[in-house]
Amino acid sequence: MINLKGIAWNHTRGFTSVVATAQRFEELNPDVRITWEKRSLQAFADAPLDVLTSQYDLLIMDNPHVSIAARDKVLLPFDDYLSQEFLKELSDNSVGMSNASYNVDGKQWTLATDAATPIATWREDLMLKRGLDVPKTYEQLIELAKTGVVGFASIPIDTLMHHYMFCIALGENVFESKTEVAPRQIMIDAIKMYKDLVGLIPAYCLEMNPIKMAEHMTQTNDIVYSPFNYGYSNYSKKNYAENTLKAGGLVTFNGRRLRSTLGGAGIAVSSTTKHAEVAMKYAEFTASEKIQSGLYFEFGGQPGHRKSWLNEDVNAQCKDFFKDTLQTLDEATMRPQYYGYMHFQDEASPVIHDAVTGKVTVESAVDKMNEIYRESLTH
């Protein structure tokens, strides 16, 4: 009997999706047993790769860690095990830059089985009841926020991800310089803009991650509209939550749509596994379009395969979540792939959060963030 152990994150989207594919894979391969364990969303983002890969054969992971995996050789590259045809098919059917976000040094270290970025979500029933319109522009968003019905996840990591979006909205790409994340004044203006918006939403949003925000929106009637929250298609499915969320694209700023920061997750195989071939076969099975549009989605997963996002049956089950947000995914920006990036993300997140909550000045936070950025380039 071949036993494989995997680690995923503690949400229906991240866990029951792979438990379902593992169960079916076992039925097709009776000599294989795959046991999935789970960790919290924060632990999912924080856990050191070398520790996880020493304990598990399979990992569900996010894209910023891939550069570490590539340099430290803690994962096996799929190119050495799967056919070029299959890998090309996944690349050709990527949702936005999802596939590319796991490709470092010309190798595919993770298969993009899950795609996500901040999107807009709202309660259609409450919008209708209160006679509110879904905002299309940033100015309309501000006006709606003034009525107290807007909210979005704004814990430190989400605040940083939204900061990239605001810098880009103000006309500057991030991480193009070797000395600062973006031009200093742009960073200052971006934080001030965000701080002004945060000042119009309930204070508890500063303690919420995207899952908590989606749960709050579906369990209470406090928040009617969320302008940018990492999307979870589960909450657009009938009977998943008390109330369903409708999803759509981001508002425009100065005539251009906001571009959020790509998230999502993928399946990877540890370099310490004793059963590389079988682990790779299971990963291939999970990433295949047939499974992504079928078992994986049906049991709570948020597919990473483009054909699943365009699939009529899939969309019919979740208020067209995928069709209505695909453009936002395609326009999302990718975090940089240099080795020290995670050092920057981990250290800069609390700094920018302190600036937004008023614990430190915006200017001092920007200088500190740029200092951390320069440090991260030396890793």
Side-chain angles (χ1 to χ4, degrees):
M1 185 61 70
I2 293 170
N3 288 293
L4 298 176
K5 266 174 66 180
I7 183 75
W9 93 94
N10 188 17
H11 188 270
T12 302
R13 173 178 143 199
F15 185 66
T16 59
S17 53
V18 288
V19 171
T21 62
Q23 177 62 33
R24 184 64 186 130
F25 189 81
E26 288 179 5
E27 290 163 4
L28 296 169
N29 300 273
D31 58 336
V32 179
R33 286 289 170 274
I34 303 170
T35 307
W36 281 99
E37 295 175 12
K38 57 192 175 183
R39 50 189 163 140
S40 72
L41 188 66
Q42 196 57 51
F44 172 73
D46 293 346
L49 262 185
D50 57 341
V51 173
L52 291 173
T53 51
S54 68
Q55 296 169 350
Y56 298 96
D57 304 277
L58 297 155
L59 289 84
I60 301 297
M61 60 180 284
D62 56 356
N63 60 66
H65 290 91
V66 173
S67 299
I68 299 170
R71 196 171 98 177
D72 294 352
K73 301 287 188 283
V74 293
L75 298 177
L76 295 176
F78 283 91
D79 316 69
D80 295 356
Y81 294 87
L82 303 186
S83 72
Q84 286 309 302
E85 290 76 19
F86 180 75
L87 293 176
K88 184 179 186 302
E89 194 266 340
L90 290 191
S91 176
D92 291 346
N93 286 285
S94 177
V95 175
M97 298 173 81
S98 294
N99 190 78
S101 71
Y102 299 107
N103 195 299
V104 176
D105 300 336
K107 297 271 191 185
Q108 196 70 33
W109 301 96
T110 306
L111 302 182
T113 48
D114 175 294
T117 202
I119 55 165
T121 50
W122 59 93
R123 285 276 300 278
E124 280 181 305
D125 58 328
L126 296 179
M127 281 282 198
L128 192 65
K129 193 175 171 184
R130 300 180 191 185
L132 300 171
D133 293 321
V134 175
K136 291 185 169 60
T137 66
Y138 194 76
E139 291 74 21
Q140 290 171 353
L141 166 62
I142 293 291
E143 289 309 307
L144 185 62
K146 285 176 182 173
T147 69
V149 298
V150 170
F152 47 88
S154 202
I155 57 170
I157 179 65
D158 290 279
T159 299
L160 184 65
M161 297 303 102
H162 298 327
H163 178 62
Y164 303 161
M165 176 176 71
F166 275 77
C167 286
I168 293 165
L170 291 172
E172 293 289 344
N173 288 330
V174 286
F175 300 106
E176 289 190 344
S177 156
K178 294 291 183 198
T179 55
E180 52 190 3
V181 176
R184 185 173 184 269
Q185 193 55 50
I186 291 285
M187 292 177 71
I188 290 169
D189 293 345
I191 295 176
K192 285 181 175 175
M193 257 183 77
Y194 187 72
K195 193 175 177 182
D196 289 345
L197 179 59
V198 165
L200 300 174
I201 68 172
Y204 57 70
C205 295
L206 288 155
E207 309 298 323
M208 283 190 166
N209 67 21
I211 294 171
K212 284 184 180 167
M213 179 53 64
E215 293 287 1
H216 188 70
M217 287 180 74
T218 54
Q219 289 177 32
T220 74
N221 297 335
D222 297 350
I223 303 297
V224 176
Y225 180 82
S226 181
F228 27 74
N229 210 53
Y230 276 94
Y232 276 73
S233 56
N234 313 78
Y235 299 94
S236 296
K237 280 182 162 182
K238 190 180 176 184
N239 298 330
Y240 180 78
E242 190 66 30
N243 297 284
T244 54
L245 298 180
K246 178 68 181 160
L250 303 177
V251 296
T252 60
F253 178 81
N254 289 344
R256 291 188 308 173
R257 277 162 58 107
L258 291 176
R259 297 177 65 199
S260 51
T261 306
L262 188 70
I267 192 166
V269 177
S270 166
S271 59
T272 66
T273 184
K274 293 181 171 64
H275 307 289
E277 298 283 351
V278 176
M280 286 282 169
K281 277 199 173 69
Y282 167 68
E284 180 178 29
F285 177 79
T286 300
S288 66
E289 190 264 327
K290 185 179 175 184
I291 295 299
Q292 287 266 296
S293 300
L295 268 184
Y296 186 84
F297 170 70
E298 288 157 14
F299 283 87
Q302 185 160 298
H305 201 289
R306 192 174 193 85
K307 286 181 180 171
S308 305
W309 282 65
L310 296 168
N311 185 298
E312 295 291 343
D313 291 339
V314 166
N315 277 285
Q317 294 175 60
C318 56
K319 290 177 169 274
D320 286 336
F321 175 97
F322 297 101
K323 271 199 263 184
D324 290 349
T325 60
L326 183 57
Q327 186 184 351
T328 307
L329 271 288
D330 285 342
E331 292 172 353
T333 59
M334 194 174 92
R335 282 168 275 183
Q337 291 187 313
Y338 69 95
Y339 186 81
Y341 171 74
M342 281 307 299
H343 169 76
F344 172 76
Q345 181 172 295
D346 291 343
E347 298 296 321
S349 294
V351 174
I352 191 169
H353 199 257
D354 282 350
V356 171
T357 53
K359 290 177 187 166
V360 299
T361 66
V362 172
E363 290 77 9
S364 67
V366 166
D367 292 339
K368 181 65 179 169
M369 286 167 70
N370 285 329
E371 185 188 316
I372 295 165
Y373 173 53
R374 290 188 292 273
E375 262 174 34
S376 74
L377 292 172
T378 65
H379 277 233

